[in-house]
Amino acid sequence: MKLSVVASVPENGRFLPFEKSMKLASRLGYDGVELNIRDPRRIEERKLVKTLSDLDLRASCIITGQGFTVDGLSLVDPSARTRKLAVQRIKDHILLAGSLSSIVLIGWMRGIWKYNRMRARRRFLEGLRVCAESAQDSGVLMGIECINRYEVDSINTLDEALATIREVDLGNVGIVADTFHMNIEEDKPIYEKIVICKNRLFHVHVADNNRKVPGAGHLPFRRFFDSLRRMSYDRFVSVEVVPPEPSFASIAESSMTYLQKIV
Ligand code: LER
Ligand code: MN
């Protein structure tokens, strides 16, 4: 099992504070960082790749959700042009993920389904399949994140995610589980439920029940990590605190202090 922590990648010109954060993550003993990126074409890719490799940090995963929350791009948008732009944005993330050997997370870019659930599901699967086929060509894995119902109105649970990836039927599409969302949505404790993902668990986000750092609330992380070990899970577990306050440094430090005792 490897540990990473989420950081936002700045768009052109504000790289220095990010570099400082990366140095801290490396010093604290993280194996990698998870990258929150709005538009991969607007970041300094060469600098990013070099910084990570100089610090011996891996990029665990790319979070793509700002494509929807900032730019309004979703795979189920009523406009075919917007759906096409959403697919293109995800393909841009896939290209970057190819050079970083990271996975690509599909969260908020699934959009909102409530206006016509059947049509939305069809459009989502169509878009996802196109992206996943291009990801396959670049050797990139894609993970559908289960997100709680107060944020999105589809694929809230691991069972729903498993049904979805079965339908897509491509080996490079799996699940991203997030302990904060699981604690809201799942019918069993997080340590019991996680095992249903088996080898389709591609990535894990950890935050406590209050979405603060692990250990700041009451989620049973020891038992959760026991389950991951029993599953022989050897991919990344990534700290994702929302909002990322008081600072990257504080989140990275206190999470590592807690996690190194139980991982
Ligand atoms: C969304 O709530 C979430 O958990 C993030 O990983 C962004 O997709
Ligand atoms: Mn998450």
Side-chain angles (χ1 to χ4, degrees), residues 11 36-43 62-75 81-97 104-106 108-109 127 130-131 134 142:
E11 300 199 343
N36 196 340
I37 295 176
R38 184 178 75 89
D39 183 346
R41 287 170 313 172
R42 288 175 181 269
I43 62 157
I62 297 176
I63 297 179
T64 59
Q66 290 185 67
F68 180 69
T69 57
V70 179
D71 295 326
L73 303 177
S74 105
L75 293 173
R81 190 183 121 77
T82 306
R83 292 200 299 277
K84 210 168 146 195
L85 289 172
V87 166
Q88 189 52 53
R89 175 67 62 88
I90 295 169
K91 284 186 174 176
D92 292 339
H93 284 293
I94 290 167
L95 269 185
L96 177 63
V104 171
L105 180 152
I106 300 300
W108 272 89
M109 285 197 75
V130 172
C131 295
S134 114
M142 301 186 67

Side-chain angles (χ1 to χ4, degrees), residues 63 105 108 145 147 151 178 181 205 211 240:
I63 297 179
L105 180 152
W108 272 89
E145 183 176 34
I147 298 179
E151 294 183 34
D178 180 320
H181 299 306
H205 282 167
R211 230 174 177 182
E240 184 192 42

Side-chain angles (χ1 to χ4, degrees), residues 129-140:
R129 208 167 274 129
V130 172
C131 295
E133 277 165 1
S134 114
Q136 239 171 6
D137 297 338
S138 322
V140 168

Side-chain angles (χ1 to χ4, degrees), residues 37-54:
I37 295 176
R38 184 178 75 89
D39 183 346
R41 287 170 313 172
R42 288 175 181 269
I43 62 157
E44 297 170 282
E45 180 175 337
R46 290 232 307 269
K47 263 192 187 173
L48 175 63
V49 172
K50 182 170 176 350
T51 305
L52 296 179
S53 111
D54 286 351

Side-chain angles (χ1 to χ4, degrees), residues 50-253:
K50 182 170 176 350
T51 305
L52 296 179
S53 111
D54 286 351
L55 294 167
D56 199 20
L57 281 173
R58 301 235 338 248
S60 60
C61 177
I62 297 176
I63 297 179
T64 59
Q66 290 185 67
F68 180 69
T69 57
V70 179
D71 295 326
L73 303 177
S74 105
L75 293 173
V76 307
D77 195 275
S79 146
R81 190 183 121 77
T82 306
R83 292 200 299 277
K84 210 168 146 195
L85 289 172
V87 166
Q88 189 52 53
R89 175 67 62 88
I90 295 169
K91 284 186 174 176
D92 292 339
H93 284 293
I94 290 167
L95 269 185
L96 177 63
S99 33
L100 291 171
S101 305
S102 84
I103 82 160
V104 171
L105 180 152
I106 300 300
W108 272 89
M109 285 197 75
R110 61 174 157 281
I112 299 300
W113 292 19
K114 66 183 173 191
Y115 303 107
N116 184 331
R117 299 197 71 81
M118 268 182 32
R119 194 170 58 195
R121 187 173 179 78
R122 181 170 41 78
R123 285 178 174 164
F124 174 72
L125 290 171
E126 268 168 24
L128 181 65
R129 208 167 274 129
V130 172
C131 295
E133 277 165 1
S134 114
Q136 239 171 6
D137 297 338
S138 322
V140 168
L141 299 181
M142 301 186 67
I144 303 173
E145 183 176 34
C146 307
I147 298 179
N148 80 74
R149 77 190 83 168
Y150 307 108
E151 294 183 34
V152 299
D153 61 356
S154 63
I155 322 179
N156 308 115
T157 64
L158 299 182
D159 289 304
E160 289 169 286
L162 278 172
T164 308
I165 63 176
R166 250 178 243 125
E167 211 166 326
V168 179
D169 198 23
L170 287 169
N172 65 328
V173 180
I175 295 178
V176 177
D178 180 320
T179 54
F180 169 77
H181 299 306
M182 285 182 73
N183 180 56
I184 295 172
E185 292 292 345
E186 301 298 343
D187 54 357
K188 293 187 182 130
I190 56 170
Y191 55 85
E192 247 180 86
K193 194 69 190 192
I194 194 70
V195 302
I196 68 163
C197 298
K198 298 194 176 136
N199 61 352
R200 299 313 282 266
L201 183 62
F202 283 1
H203 192 65
V204 175
H205 282 167
V206 282
D208 221 312
N209 63 291
N210 46 19
R211 230 174 177 182
K212 296 182 180 176
V213 291
H218 55 73
L219 288 188
F221 281 112
R222 260 176 215 284
R223 297 179 80 169
F224 183 70
F225 280 98
D226 284 344
S227 298
L228 291 179
R229 269 188 296 273
R230 272 199 298 276
M231 294 164 74
S232 303
Y233 179 77
D234 62 356
R235 300 180 189 274
F236 273 95
V237 172
S238 200
V239 175
E240 184 192 42
V241 168
V242 181
E245 287 167 2
S247 64
F248 176 87
S250 152
I251 292 166
E253 275 169 28

